[in-house]
Coordinates of all heavy atoms in Angstrom, one line a residue:
M148 N 12.4 -13.7 -7.5 CA 11.6 -14.0 -6.3 C 11.5 -12.7 -5.4 O 12.5 -12.0 -5.2 CB 12.2 -15.1 -5.6 CG 11.3 -15.6 -4.4 SD 12.0 -17.1 -3.8 CE 10.8 -17.4 -2.5
A149 N 10.3 -12.5 -4.8 CA 10.2 -11.3 -4.0 C 10.9 -11.5 -2.7 O 11.2 -12.6 -2.2 CB 8.7 -11.1 -3.7
R150 N 11.3 -10.4 -2.1 CA 12.0 -10.5 -0.8 C 11.1 -10.9 0.4 O 11.6 -11.5 1.3 CB 12.6 -9.1 -0.4 CG 13.6 -8.6 -1.4 CD 14.1 -7.3 -1.0 NE 14.9 -6.7 -2.1 CZ 15.2 -5.5 -2.2 NH1 14.9 -4.6 -1.2 NH2 15.9 -5.0 -3.2
Y151 N 9.8 -10.6 0.3 CA 8.9 -11.0 1.3 C 7.8 -11.9 0.7 O 7.5 -11.7 -0.4 CB 8.2 -9.7 1.9 CG 9.2 -8.7 2.4 CD1 9.5 -7.6 1.7 CD2 9.9 -8.9 3.6 CE1 10.4 -6.6 2.1 CE2 10.9 -8.0 4.0 CZ 11.1 -6.9 3.3 OH 12.0 -6.0 3.7
P152 N 7.3 -12.8 1.6 CA 6.1 -13.6 1.1 C 5.0 -12.6 0.7 O 4.7 -11.6 1.3 CB 5.8 -14.5 2.2 CG 7.0 -14.5 3.1 CD 7.7 -13.2 2.9
L153 N 4.3 -13.0 -0.4 CA 3.2 -12.1 -0.9 C 2.1 -12.0 0.2 O 1.4 -11.0 0.2 CB 2.7 -12.7 -2.2 CG 2.0 -11.8 -3.1 CD1 2.9 -10.6 -3.4 CD2 1.7 -12.5 -4.4
E154 N 1.9 -13.0 1.0 CA 0.8 -12.9 2.0 C 1.1 -11.8 3.0 O 0.2 -11.2 3.5 CB 0.7 -14.2 2.8 CG 0.1 -15.4 1.9 CD 1.2 -16.0 1.1 OE1 2.4 -16.0 1.5 OE2 0.9 -16.6 0.1
M155 N 2.4 -11.5 3.3 CA 2.7 -10.4 4.2 C 2.6 -9.1 3.6 O 2.5 -8.1 4.3 CB 4.2 -10.6 4.7 CG 4.4 -11.8 5.5 SD 6.1 -12.1 6.0 CE 6.5 -10.6 6.8
A156 N 2.5 -9.0 2.3 CA 2.5 -7.7 1.6 C 1.1 -7.2 1.3 O 1.0 -6.0 1.0 CB 3.3 -7.9 0.3
W157 N 0.1 -8.0 1.5 CA -1.3 -7.5 1.2 C -1.8 -6.6 2.2 O -1.6 -6.8 3.4 CB -2.2 -8.7 1.1 CG -2.0 -9.5 -0.2 CD1 -1.5 -10.8 -0.2 CD2 -2.3 -9.2 -1.5 NE1 -1.4 -11.2 -1.5 CE2 -1.9 -10.3 -2.3 CE3 -2.8 -8.1 -2.1 CZ2 -2.0 -10.2 -3.7 CZ3 -2.9 -8.0 -3.5 CH2 -2.5 -9.1 -4.2
M158 N -2.4 -5.5 1.8 CA -3.1 -4.7 2.7 C -4.5 -4.4 2.0 O -4.6 -3.8 0.9 CB -2.4 -3.4 2.9 CG -3.1 -2.4 3.8 SD -2.1 -1.1 4.3 CE -3.0 -0.4 5.6
Y159 N -5.5 -4.9 2.6 CA -6.9 -4.8 2.1 C -7.4 -3.3 2.2 O -7.1 -2.6 3.1 CB -7.8 -5.7 2.7 CG -7.4 -7.1 2.5 CD1 -6.8 -7.9 3.5 CD2 -7.6 -7.8 1.3 CE1 -6.4 -9.2 3.4 CE2 -7.2 -9.1 1.1 CZ -6.6 -9.8 2.1 OH -6.2 -11.0 1.9
F160 N -8.2 -2.9 1.2 CA -8.6 -1.5 1.1 C -9.5 -1.1 2.3 O -9.3 0.0 2.8 CB -9.4 -1.3 -0.2 CG -9.8 0.1 -0.4 CD1 -8.9 1.1 -0.6 CD2 -11.2 0.5 -0.2 CE1 -9.3 2.4 -0.7 CE2 -11.6 1.8 -0.4 CZ -10.7 2.8 -0.6
P161 N -10.4 -2.0 2.8 CA -11.2 -1.6 4.0 C -10.3 -1.3 5.2 O -10.5 -0.4 5.9 CB -12.1 -2.7 4.2 CG -12.3 -3.4 2.9 CD -10.9 -3.2 2.2
Q162 N -9.3 -2.1 5.4 CA -8.3 -1.9 6.4 C -7.6 -0.6 6.3 O -7.4 0.2 7.2 CB -7.3 -3.1 6.5 CG -6.3 -3.0 7.6 CD -5.3 -4.2 7.5 OE1 -5.2 -4.9 6.5 NE2 -4.4 -4.3 8.4
F163 N -7.2 -0.3 5.1 CA -6.5 1.0 4.8 C -7.4 2.1 5.0 O -7.1 3.1 5.6 CB -6.0 1.0 3.3 CG -5.6 2.3 2.8 CD1 -4.4 2.9 3.3 CD2 -6.3 3.0 2.0 CE1 -4.0 4.1 2.8 CE2 -6.0 4.3 1.5 CZ -4.8 4.8 1.9
L164 N -8.7 2.0 4.6 CA -9.6 3.1 4.7 C -9.9 3.4 6.1 O -10.0 4.6 6.5 CB -10.9 2.7 3.9 CG -11.9 3.8 3.7 CD1 -11.3 5.0 2.9 CD2 -13.2 3.3 3.0
I165 N -10.1 2.4 7.0 CA -10.4 2.6 8.4 C -9.2 3.3 9.0 O -9.3 4.2 9.8 CB -10.7 1.3 9.1 CG1 -12.1 0.8 8.6 CG2 -10.7 1.4 10.6 CD1 -12.4 -0.6 9.1
G166 N -8.0 2.8 8.7 CA -6.8 3.5 9.2 C -6.6 4.9 8.8 O -6.3 5.8 9.7
V167 N -7.0 5.2 7.6 CA -6.9 6.6 7.1 C -7.9 7.5 7.8 O -7.6 8.6 8.3 CB -7.1 6.7 5.6 CG1 -7.3 8.1 5.1 CG2 -5.9 6.1 4.9
V168 N -9.1 7.0 8.0 CA -10.2 7.8 8.6 C -9.8 8.1 10.1 O -10.0 9.2 10.6 CB -11.6 7.1 8.5 CG1 -12.6 7.7 9.3 CG2 -12.0 7.1 7.0
V169 N -9.4 7.0 10.8 CA -9.0 7.2 12.2 C -7.8 8.2 12.3 O -7.8 9.0 13.2 CB -8.7 5.8 12.8 CG1 -8.0 6.0 14.2 CG2 -10.0 5.0 12.9
T170 N -6.8 8.0 11.5 CA -5.7 8.9 11.5 C -6.0 10.4 11.2 O -5.6 11.3 11.9 CB -4.6 8.4 10.5 OG1 -4.2 7.1 10.8 CG2 -3.4 9.3 10.6
L171 N -6.8 10.6 10.2 CA -7.2 11.9 9.8 C -8.1 12.5 10.9 O -8.0 13.7 11.2 CB -7.9 12.0 8.5 CG -7.0 11.6 7.3 CD1 -7.8 11.6 6.0 CD2 -5.8 12.6 7.2
G172 N -9.0 11.7 11.5 CA -9.8 12.2 12.6 C -8.9 12.6 13.8 O -9.2 13.6 14.4
A173 N -7.9 11.8 14.1 CA -7.0 12.1 15.2 C -6.3 13.4 14.9 O -6.1 14.2 15.8 CB -6.1 11.0 15.4
V174 N -5.8 13.6 13.7 CA -5.1 14.8 13.4 C -6.0 16.0 13.5 O -5.6 17.1 14.0 CB -4.5 14.7 11.9 CG1 -4.0 16.1 11.4 CG2 -3.4 13.7 11.9
A175 N -7.2 15.9 13.0 CA -8.2 17.0 13.0 C -8.5 17.4 14.5 O -8.5 18.5 14.9 CB -9.4 16.7 12.3
V176 N -8.8 16.3 15.3 CA -9.1 16.6 16.7 C -8.0 17.2 17.5 O -8.1 18.2 18.2 CB -9.6 15.3 17.4 CG1 -9.7 15.5 18.9 CG2 -11.0 14.9 16.8
W177 N -6.8 16.7 17.2 CA -5.6 17.2 17.9 C -5.3 18.6 17.5 O -5.0 19.5 18.3 CB -4.4 16.3 17.6 CG -3.1 16.7 18.2 CD1 -2.9 17.3 19.4 CD2 -1.8 16.4 17.7 NE1 -1.6 17.5 19.6 CE2 -0.9 16.9 18.6 CE3 -1.3 15.8 16.5 CZ2 0.5 16.8 18.4 CZ3 0.0 15.6 16.4 CH2 0.9 16.2 17.3
T178 N -5.4 18.9 16.2 CA -5.2 20.3 15.7 C -6.2 21.2 16.3 O -5.9 22.4 16.7 CB -5.2 20.3 14.2 OG1 -4.2 19.4 13.7 CG2 -4.8 21.7 13.7
Y179 N -7.5 20.8 16.3 CA -8.5 21.7 16.8 C -8.3 21.9 18.3 O -8.5 23.1 18.8 CB -9.9 21.1 16.6 CG -11.0 21.9 17.1 CD1 -11.4 23.1 16.5 CD2 -11.7 21.5 18.3 CE1 -12.4 23.9 17.1 CE2 -12.7 22.3 18.8 CZ -13.0 23.5 18.2 OH -14.0 24.3 18.7
S180 N -7.9 20.9 19.1 CA -7.7 21.1 20.5 C -6.5 22.0 20.8 O -6.4 22.7 21.8 CB -7.6 19.7 21.2 OG -6.4 19.1 20.8
A181 N -5.5 21.9 19.9 CA -4.3 22.7 20.1 C -4.5 24.2 19.7 O -3.9 25.1 20.3 CB -3.1 22.1 19.3
T182 N -5.3 24.4 18.6 CA -5.4 25.8 18.1 C -6.8 26.4 18.3 O -6.9 27.6 18.3 CB -5.1 25.8 16.6 OG1 -6.1 25.0 15.9 CG2 -3.7 25.2 16.3
G183 N -7.8 25.6 18.5 CA -9.2 26.1 18.6 C -9.8 26.5 17.3 O -10.8 27.2 17.3
S184 N -9.1 26.2 16.2 CA -9.5 26.7 14.9 C -10.0 25.5 14.0 O -9.2 24.6 13.8 CB -8.4 27.4 14.2 OG -8.7 27.7 12.8
V185 N -11.2 25.5 13.6 CA -11.7 24.5 12.7 C -11.0 24.6 11.3 O -10.7 23.5 10.7 CB -13.3 24.6 12.5 CG1 -13.8 23.6 11.4 CG2 -14.0 24.4 13.8
W186 N -10.7 25.8 10.9 CA -10.0 26.0 9.6 C -8.7 25.3 9.6 O -8.3 24.6 8.7 CB -9.9 27.5 9.3 CG -9.1 27.8 8.1 CD1 -7.9 28.4 8.1 CD2 -9.4 27.4 6.7 NE1 -7.4 28.5 6.8 CE2 -8.3 27.9 6.0 CE3 -10.4 26.8 6.1 CZ2 -8.2 27.7 4.6 CZ3 -10.4 26.6 4.7 CH2 -9.3 27.1 4.0
L187 N -7.9 25.5 10.7 CA -6.6 24.9 10.7 C -6.7 23.4 10.9 O -5.9 22.6 10.3 CB -5.7 25.4 11.9 CG -5.1 26.8 11.7 CD1 -4.4 27.2 13.0 CD2 -4.1 26.7 10.6
A188 N -7.7 22.9 11.5 CA -7.9 21.4 11.6 C -8.2 20.8 10.3 O -7.7 19.8 9.9 CB -9.1 21.1 12.6
V189 N -9.0 21.5 9.4 CA -9.3 21.1 8.1 C -8.0 21.1 7.2 O -7.7 20.2 6.5 CB -10.4 21.9 7.4 CG1 -10.6 21.6 6.0 CG2 -11.7 21.6 8.2
V190 N -7.2 22.2 7.3 CA -6.0 22.3 6.6 C -5.0 21.2 6.9 O -4.5 20.5 6.0 CB -5.4 23.7 6.7 CG1 -4.0 23.7 6.2 CG2 -6.2 24.8 6.1
W191 N -4.8 20.9 8.2 CA -3.9 19.9 8.6 C -4.4 18.5 8.3 O -3.6 17.6 7.9 CB -3.6 20.0 10.1 CG -2.5 21.0 10.4 CD1 -2.6 22.2 10.9 CD2 -1.1 20.7 10.2 NE1 -1.4 22.8 11.0 CE2 -0.4 21.9 10.5 CE3 -0.4 19.7 9.7 CZ2 0.9 22.1 10.4 CZ3 1.0 19.8 9.5 CH2 1.6 21.0 9.9
A192 N -5.7 18.3 8.3 CA -6.2 17.0 7.9 C -6.0 16.8 6.4 O -5.7 15.7 6.0 CB -7.7 16.9 8.3
T193 N -6.2 17.9 5.6 CA -6.0 17.8 4.2 C -4.5 17.5 3.9 O -4.2 16.6 3.0 CB -6.4 19.1 3.5 OG1 -7.8 19.3 3.8 CG2 -6.2 19.0 2.0
I194 N -3.6 18.2 4.6 CA -2.2 17.9 4.4 C -1.8 16.5 4.8 O -1.1 15.8 4.1 CB -1.3 18.9 5.2 CG1 -1.5 20.3 4.6 CG2 0.2 18.5 5.2 CD1 -0.9 21.4 5.5
S195 N -2.4 16.0 5.9 CA -2.1 14.6 6.3 C -2.7 13.6 5.3 O -2.1 12.6 5.1 CB -2.8 14.4 7.7 OG -2.2 15.3 8.6
S196 N -3.9 13.9 4.7 CA -4.4 13.0 3.7 C -3.6 12.9 2.5 O -3.4 11.8 1.9 CB -5.9 13.4 3.4 OG -5.9 14.6 2.6
L197 N -3.0 14.0 2.1 CA -2.1 14.0 0.9 C -0.8 13.2 1.3 O -0.3 12.4 0.4 CB -1.7 15.4 0.5 CG -2.8 16.3 -0.1 CD1 -2.4 17.7 -0.3 CD2 -3.4 15.6 -1.3
A198 N -0.3 13.4 2.5 CA 0.9 12.6 2.9 C 0.6 11.1 2.9 O 1.4 10.3 2.5 CB 1.4 13.1 4.2
L199 N -0.6 10.7 3.5 CA -1.0 9.3 3.6 C -1.2 8.7 2.2 O -0.8 7.6 1.9 CB -2.2 9.2 4.4 CG -2.1 9.3 5.9 CD1 -3.4 9.4 6.6 CD2 -1.2 8.2 6.4
Q200 N -1.8 9.5 1.3 CA -2.0 9.0 -0.1 C -0.7 8.8 -0.8 O -0.5 7.8 -1.5 CB -2.9 10.0 -0.9 CG -3.3 9.5 -2.2 CD -4.1 8.2 -2.2 OE1 -4.9 8.0 -1.4 NE2 -3.8 7.4 -3.2
L201 N 0.3 9.7 -0.6 CA 1.6 9.6 -1.2 C 2.3 8.3 -0.7 O 2.9 7.6 -1.5 CB 2.4 10.8 -1.0 CG 3.8 10.8 -1.5 CD1 3.8 10.8 -3.1 CD2 4.6 12.0 -1.0
G202 N 2.2 8.1 0.6 CA 2.8 6.9 1.2 C 2.2 5.6 0.7 O 2.8 4.6 0.4
Y203 N 0.8 5.6 0.5 CA 0.1 4.5 0.0 C 0.6 4.2 -1.5 O 0.8 3.1 -1.9 CB -1.4 4.7 0.1 CG -2.2 3.5 -0.3 CD1 -2.2 2.3 0.5 CD2 -2.9 3.5 -1.5 CE1 -2.9 1.2 0.1 CE2 -3.7 2.4 -1.9 CZ -3.7 1.2 -1.1 OH -4.4 0.1 -1.4
F204 N 0.7 5.3 -2.2 CA 1.1 5.1 -3.6 C 2.5 4.6 -3.7 O 2.8 3.7 -4.5 CB 1.0 6.5 -4.3 CG 1.4 6.5 -5.8 CD1 0.6 5.9 -6.7 CD2 2.6 7.0 -6.2 CE1 1.0 5.9 -8.1 CE2 3.0 7.0 -7.5 CZ 2.2 6.5 -8.4
V205 N 3.4 5.1 -2.9 CA 4.8 4.6 -2.9 C 4.8 3.1 -2.5 O 5.6 2.3 -3.1 CB 5.7 5.4 -2.0 CG1 7.0 4.8 -1.8 CG2 5.9 6.8 -2.6
S206 N 4.0 2.7 -1.5 CA 4.0 1.3 -1.1 C 3.4 0.4 -2.1 O 3.9 -0.7 -2.3 CB 3.2 1.2 0.2 OG 1.8 1.4 0.0
V207 N 2.4 0.9 -2.9 CA 1.9 0.0 -4.0 C 2.9 -0.1 -5.1 O 3.1 -1.2 -5.7 CB 0.6 0.6 -4.5 CG1 0.2 0.0 -5.8 CG2 -0.5 0.5 -3.5
L208 N 3.6 1.0 -5.4 CA 4.7 0.9 -6.4 C 5.8 -0.1 -5.9 O 6.3 -0.9 -6.8 CB 5.3 2.3 -6.6 CG 4.6 3.2 -7.5 CD1 5.4 4.5 -7.6 CD2 4.4 2.6 -8.9
G209 N 6.1 -0.1 -4.6 CA 7.1 -1.1 -4.1 C 6.6 -2.5 -4.3 O 7.3 -3.4 -4.6
L210 N 5.3 -2.7 -4.0 CA 4.7 -4.1 -4.2 C 4.8 -4.5 -5.6 O 5.1 -5.7 -6.0 CB 3.3 -4.1 -3.7 CG 3.1 -4.0 -2.1 CD1 1.7 -4.0 -1.8 CD2 3.8 -5.3 -1.5
V211 N 4.5 -3.6 -6.5 CA 4.5 -3.9 -8.0 C 5.9 -4.2 -8.4 O 6.2 -5.1 -9.2 CB 3.9 -2.8 -8.8 CG1 4.1 -3.0 -10.3 CG2 2.4 -2.7 -8.5
Y212 N 6.9 -3.4 -7.9 CA 8.3 -3.6 -8.3 C 8.8 -4.9 -7.8 O 9.5 -5.6 -8.5 CB 9.1 -2.4 -7.7 CG 10.6 -2.6 -8.0 CD1 11.1 -2.3 -9.3 CD2 11.4 -2.9 -7.0 CE1 12.4 -2.5 -9.5 CE2 12.8 -3.1 -7.2 CZ 13.3 -2.8 -8.5 OH 14.6 -3.0 -8.8
M213 N 8.4 -5.3 -6.6 CA 8.9 -6.5 -6.0 C 8.1 -7.8 -6.4 O 8.4 -8.9 -6.0 CB 8.9 -6.4 -4.5 CG 9.9 -5.5 -3.9 SD 9.9 -5.2 -2.1 CE 8.8 -6.3 -1.5
S214 N 7.1 -7.6 -7.2 CA 6.2 -8.6 -7.7 C 7.0 -9.6 -8.5 O 7.8 -9.2 -9.4 CB 5.0 -8.1 -8.5 OG 4.3 -9.1 -9.1
P215 N 6.8 -10.9 -8.3 CA 7.5 -11.9 -9.1 C 7.0 -12.1 -10.5 O 7.6 -12.7 -11.3 CB 7.4 -13.2 -8.3 CG 6.1 -13.0 -7.5 CD 6.0 -11.5 -7.3
V216 N 5.9 -11.5 -10.8 CA 5.3 -11.7 -12.1 C 6.2 -11.2 -13.3 O 6.4 -11.9 -14.3 CB 3.9 -11.0 -12.2 CG1 3.3 -11.1 -13.6 CG2 2.9 -11.7 -11.2
G217 N 6.7 -10.0 -13.1 CA 7.5 -9.4 -14.2 C 8.9 -10.0 -14.2 O 9.7 -9.8 -15.2
K218 N 9.3 -10.8 -13.3 CA 10.7 -11.3 -13.2 C 10.8 -12.8 -13.7 O 11.8 -13.4 -13.5 CB 11.2 -11.2 -11.8 CG 11.3 -9.7 -11.4 CD 11.8 -9.6 -10.0 CE 11.8 -8.1 -9.6 NZ 12.1 -7.9 -8.2
Q219 N 9.7 -13.3 -14.2 CA 9.7 -14.7 -14.7 C 10.5 -14.8 -16.0 O 10.5 -13.8 -16.8 CB 8.3 -15.2 -14.9 CG 7.6 -15.4 -13.6 CD 6.2 -15.8 -13.8 OE1 5.7 -15.9 -14.9 NE2 5.5 -16.2 -12.7
T220 N 11.1 -15.9 -16.3 CA 11.9 -16.0 -17.5 C 10.9 -16.4 -18.6 O 9.9 -17.1 -18.4 CB 13.0 -17.1 -17.3 OG1 13.7 -17.2 -18.5 CG2 12.4 -18.5 -17.0
T221 N 11.3 -16.0 -19.8 CA 10.5 -16.4 -21.0 C 11.2 -17.4 -21.9 O 10.8 -17.7 -23.0 CB 10.2 -15.2 -21.8 OG1 11.4 -14.5 -22.2 CG2 9.3 -14.2 -21.0
D222 N 12.4 -17.9 -21.4 CA 13.1 -18.9 -22.2 C 12.4 -20.2 -22.1 O 12.3 -20.8 -21.0 CB 14.5 -19.0 -21.6 CG 15.4 -19.9 -22.4 OD1 15.1 -20.2 -23.5 OD2 16.4 -20.4 -21.8
P223 N 11.9 -20.8 -23.3 CA 11.2 -22.0 -23.2 C 12.0 -23.2 -22.7 O 11.4 -24.2 -22.2 CB 10.7 -22.2 -24.7 CG 11.1 -21.0 -25.4 CD 12.0 -20.2 -24.6
D224 N 13.3 -23.2 -22.9 CA 14.1 -24.3 -22.5 C 14.2 -24.4 -20.9 O 14.5 -25.5 -20.4 CB 15.5 -24.2 -23.1 CG 15.5 -24.3 -24.6 OD1 14.6 -25.0 -25.1 OD2 16.4 -23.8 -25.2
S225 N 14.0 -23.3 -20.2 CA 14.2 -23.3 -18.8 C 12.9 -23.6 -18.1 O 12.9 -23.7 -16.9 CB 14.8 -22.0 -18.3 OG 13.8 -20.9 -18.6
I226 N 11.8 -23.7 -18.8 CA 10.5 -24.0 -18.2 C 10.3 -25.5 -18.0 O 10.4 -26.3 -18.9 CB 9.3 -23.4 -19.0 CG1 9.5 -21.9 -19.1 CG2 8.0 -23.8 -18.4 CD1 8.5 -21.3 -20.1
E227 N 10.0 -25.9 -16.7 CA 9.8 -27.3 -16.5 C 8.3 -27.6 -16.6 O 7.5 -26.8 -16.1 CB 10.3 -27.6 -15.0 CG 11.8 -27.4 -14.9 CD 12.3 -27.8 -13.5 OE1 11.5 -28.5 -12.8 OE2 13.3 -27.3 -13.1
P228 N 8.0 -28.7 -17.2 CA 6.6 -29.1 -17.3 C 6.0 -29.4 -15.9 O 6.6 -29.8 -15.0 CB 6.6 -30.3 -18.2 CG 7.9 -30.9 -18.0 CD 8.9 -29.7 -17.7
A229 N 4.7 -29.1 -15.8 CA 3.9 -29.4 -14.6 C 3.8 -30.9 -14.5 O 3.8 -31.7 -15.4 CB 2.6 -28.8 -14.6
S230 N 3.8 -31.4 -13.2 CA 3.8 -32.8 -13.0 C 2.6 -33.5 -13.6 O 2.7 -34.6 -14.1 CB 3.8 -33.1 -11.5 OG 2.7 -32.6 -10.9
H231 N 1.4 -32.9 -13.6 CA 0.3 -33.6 -14.2 C 0.3 -33.6 -15.7 O -0.4 -34.4 -16.4 CB -1.0 -32.9 -13.7 CG -1.2 -31.5 -14.2 ND1 -0.6 -30.4 -13.7 CD2 -2.0 -31.0 -15.3 CE1 -0.9 -29.3 -14.3 NE2 -1.8 -29.7 -15.3
L232 N 1.1 -32.7 -16.4 CA 1.2 -32.8 -17.8 C 2.3 -33.7 -18.3 O 2.3 -34.2 -19.4 CB 1.6 -31.4 -18.3 CG 0.5 -30.3 -18.1 CD1 1.0 -29.0 -18.6 CD2 -0.8 -30.7 -18.9
S233 N 3.3 -34.0 -17.4 CA 4.4 -34.9 -17.9 C 4.1 -36.4 -17.7 O 4.9 -37.2 -18.1 CB 5.6 -34.5 -17.0 OG 5.4 -34.8 -15.7
K234 N 2.9 -36.7 -17.2 CA 2.6 -38.2 -17.1 C 2.0 -38.8 -18.3 O 1.4 -38.2 -19.1 CB 1.7 -38.4 -15.9 CG 2.3 -38.1 -14.6 CD 1.4 -38.4 -13.4 CE 2.1 -38.1 -12.1 NZ 1.3 -38.4 -11.0

């Protein structure tokens, strides 16, 4: 069984995409305002995008690892019949 309810673990792609765009925009604007260089703003936004992608990949791996699908038993004696089948 997973440590957290599956409903709490979902993160929809549009929500993730909006968060990434806003975060990268903030990094780019902040870097540009601090340095005055568009080149450094692009470099820092690229570095930030790689870090965000790595974090998203690790979180998806964690969700897959904690998924209850792979942890089900295959022993036929331990499977209980569904109530509508046992009547």
Side-chain angles (χ1 to χ4, degrees):
M148 183 170 182
R150 295 181 194 166
Y151 305 105
L153 207 50
E154 292 82 23
M155 292 175 59
W157 289 108
M158 182 170 192
Y159 297 103
F160 183 71
Q162 180 184 10
F163 167 75
L164 192 60
I165 291 170
V167 166
V168 169
V169 169
T170 302
L171 293 178
V174 167
V176 168
W177 181 27
T178 305
Y179 178 73
S180 67
T182 64
S184 170
V185 174
W186 174 247
L187 280 177
V189 170
V190 169
W191 275 104
T193 303
I194 291 169
S195 299
S196 70
L197 293 173
L199 287 171
Q200 185 62 37
L201 179 66
Y203 185 71
F204 180 73
V205 169
S206 68
V207 168
L208 281 180
L210 289 174
V211 169
Y212 177 75
M213 293 179 1
S214 172
V216 173
K218 297 178 183 174
Q219 293 177 350
T220 181
T221 57
D222 184 20
D224 295 333
S225 65
I226 299 175
E227 296 181 20
S230 62
H231 67 281
L232 295 176
S233 62
K234 290 183 180 181

